[in-house]
Amino acid sequence: MTTPDKPGLRERKKQRTRTAISDAAIDLFLDRGFAHVSVAEIAHAAEVSKRTLFAYFPTKEDLVVHRMADHEQEAARVVRARPAHTTPLTALRDHFLDGLRRRDPITGLNDHPAVRSLTELIYGTPALIDRMQRFKAGGERALAEALRDTTDASDLTARLAAVQIIGVQWALSTDNFQRLVQGETADGRYEGAVREAEHAFDLLANGLAALT
């Protein structure tokens, strides 16, 4: 018998296969560049067929974005799970600040070599940048739905708020990553990242008073 917290054997095997394929792909991408690696080469390195590879990853870009899949609807989950009497913005602000403390890669404040290499691959590959824009749009849709369901906001207000909130989070993360590329360490950047995040969420709070 399986539980929501413990997937069954079949699902665990699928997860291992998915991870093995993604690992093989990213190793090749980092070594030779995204555009210079074929799907056939990835399948061979992962010891699966091309058909199996596409069953797990419909596009080549998904092999990379898979690493961040859990984050696509993260903002929506935070809003839905927030404590009573806590506004969506407060919950999202606290969550982002906690991510900075934990050096969560999605905040851009992680200078581990493997994380940095993968992030540089994404920012340096037009096809992956385009795919991340779709990832971002999915997060906006999920957050808008969560805001509609958990506040008195209208459909329009929820959609506009989601675009602004996700946009600010992405801008903060991008700025953090770029500062690391310029030579700062994650620890050295931390206090500035916190100040900028607090400032950004203050600006959102002033403009999104309807959600309070």
Side-chain angles (χ1 to χ4, degrees), residues 53-73:
L53 186 151
F54 282 123
Y56 284 94
F57 301 99
T59 72
K60 188 177 172 183
E61 292 77 15
D62 289 333
L63 288 157
V64 177
V65 178
H66 157 70
R67 293 295 182 90
M68 291 164 283
D70 289 344
H71 290 290
E72 183 172 2
Q73 299 192 15

Side-chain angles (χ1 to χ4, degrees), residues 12 37 86-87 95 149 173:
R12 293 199 302 274
V37 178
T86 299
T87 68
H95 184 76
D149 292 346
S173 298

Side-chain angles (χ1 to χ4, degrees), residues 9 11 18 30 60 69 80 99 111 150 158 163 168 178 183 196 209:
L9 176 61
E11 184 57 32
R18 184 179 294 108
L30 293 176
K60 188 177 172 183
R80 292 185 184 281
D111 52 9
T150 65
V163 169
V168 162
Q178 290 176 343
E196 291 177 10

